[in-house]
Amino acid sequence: MQMNLQLQHVVTDMTGATGMRIIRAILAGERRPDILASYRDSRCKASEEMICQALIGHYRSEHLLALQQAVTLYDCYQQQVALCDQHIEQVLLGLATCHTTPPKARHRCMRQRNGFAFDARAALYAMLGQDLTRIHGMGPYLALKLVAECGNDMTRWPSAKHFTSWLCLAPGNKISGGKVLSSKTRRSSSRAAAALRLAATTIGKTETALGAFYRRLAARTGKAKAVTATARKIAILFYHALRYGMDYVDPGADYYEARYRERVVKQLTRRAASLGYALQAVPQPEGVS
């Protein structure tokens, strides 16, 4: 900004491949915008012409010094993060109880740019004997975080309901004088519950059974309640996978929609019968399901 460079407006992530290449080239002494723009990564959406126009500025010594110090600190933090990853990997290897190769991933896990430097999925499988990443919305980072927060011994909770209540993801039961005053979920500072809510928000964009559940509930009751309800479902799947060795199979969004339609039809049939009417299906034209 102080150099009058507008690189942040054409590059989405300044710490990505394109941004860091250009910044390091500037610190190395390169000033020509066309040469700097040639360091553009092939995955960058901005063209070289746009990047070239954003790199026309001035380079004062005090600004270059501040930039050099910022890059030095960034590299130092990256080194410390790499050391943490190595330590986490060694700890997981020490806790390994299963020495077989993990099964092939059932669905593609998008690699997080700030993810682990090692294969966390294989390390978790070696420790738990279960591939938690088969549950949609649960990547290696979330699975490891849940295990770190909740442990791998699910027998401490008699049932999944107890587990979700401990996470404050289950409806409350505030009763006075035999009357339910409130059924809102309790407030919680649980990091596991916060991670599950983030996963629920992400899974709402996918074409899965959990994604269809989130979208339908969000349309009816709002996104806040849909996030909590979907996070509760993911927590239940996590509980059953660790305690009973459940192998999760996603039935798909179409299956969920079909089940929802069956429930609605049954409810309407019962309501019509109670009023003395009978439902009759409307004949569909050929080729229309």
Side-chain angles (χ1 to χ4, degrees):
M1 294 286 293
Q2 294 176 347
M3 293 179 183
N4 198 33
L5 302 179
Q6 305 300 320
L7 185 62
Q8 72 276 12
H9 295 301
V10 294
V11 177
T12 304
D13 185 9
M14 289 295 296
T15 59
T18 300
M20 293 307 298
R21 286 176 187 173
I22 293 175
I23 289 174
R24 294 187 192 280
I26 291 174
L27 294 176
E30 185 60 59
R31 300 291 183 268
R32 291 170 293 179
D34 56 335
I35 301 299
L36 293 173
S38 65
Y39 291 107
R40 168 187 173 273
D41 189 84
S42 59
R43 296 167 294 178
C44 183
K45 295 182 180 180
S47 62
E48 287 192 17
E49 291 75 14
M50 293 178 60
I51 296 177
C52 184
Q53 294 175 3
L55 291 173
I56 300 175
H58 51 78
Y59 299 88
R60 297 174 60 175
S61 59
E62 60 269 26
H63 297 159
L64 290 172
L65 175 62
L67 181 61
Q68 178 65 68
Q69 291 178 335
V71 172
T72 302
L73 286 174
Y74 173 81
D75 292 337
C76 179
Y77 287 136
Q78 292 300 313
Q79 293 174 3
Q80 297 303 315
V81 170
L83 290 176
C84 288
D85 284 350
Q86 293 177 8
H87 183 72
I88 293 173
E89 183 179 14
Q90 293 301 321
V91 171
L92 291 177
L93 290 176
L95 296 174
T97 58
C98 177
H99 301 285
T100 58
T101 305
K104 185 178 179 180
R106 181 165 295 167
H107 59 274
R108 182 183 177 186
C109 294
M110 298 298 292
R111 187 182 183 278
Q112 297 177 339
R113 54 179 307 275
N114 291 323
F116 296 106
F118 61 95
D119 189 356
R121 174 176 169 267
L124 278 170
Y125 182 82
M127 182 178 69
L128 304 173
Q130 292 290 330
D131 185 9
L132 296 177
T133 61
R134 292 196 168 197
I135 302 173
H136 283 283
M138 187 173 293
Y141 180 81
L142 175 59
L144 183 58
K145 190 168 186 176
L146 289 178
V147 171
E149 292 292 330
C150 308
N152 60 349
D153 183 14
M154 294 292 106
T155 58
R156 293 182 295 173
W157 296 277
S159 66
K161 292 182 179 180
H162 291 81
F163 180 61
T164 55
S165 178
W166 177 76
L167 289 171
C168 295
L169 293 175
N173 193 21
K174 196 172 183 180
I175 300 176
S176 178
K179 182 180 179 180
V180 178
L181 300 179
S182 174
S183 59
K184 293 182 179 180
T185 54
R186 304 189 311 276
R187 291 182 178 272
S188 171
S189 59
S190 171
R191 288 174 288 189
L196 287 169
R197 284 190 169 93
L198 286 176
T201 304
T202 302
I203 205 172
K205 305 174 184 178
T206 62
E207 292 299 324
T208 60
L210 289 173
F213 170 80
Y214 171 88
R215 289 189 293 273
R216 184 167 294 282
L217 196 60
R220 192 174 79 242
T221 63
K223 291 186 177 180
K225 292 183 178 179
V227 166
T228 301
T230 308
R232 180 180 178 275
K233 278 187 173 291
I234 300 174
I236 291 175
L237 294 175
F238 172 79
Y239 177 87
H240 286 293
L242 284 187
R243 182 164 187 181
Y244 304 112
M246 179 202 69
D247 188 13
Y248 177 70
V249 178
D250 179 60
D254 294 338
Y255 174 81
Y256 174 81
E257 294 294 344
R259 288 286 303 274
Y260 175 78
R261 185 176 183 276
E262 290 177 4
R263 291 198 302 269
V264 172
V265 170
K266 288 181 180 179
Q267 292 172 2
L268 291 175
T269 302
R270 289 197 299 267
R271 185 66 182 271
S274 66
L275 297 174
Y277 294 91
L279 290 181
Q280 184 176 358
V282 177
Q284 297 289 340
E286 293 184 1
V288 179
S289 57

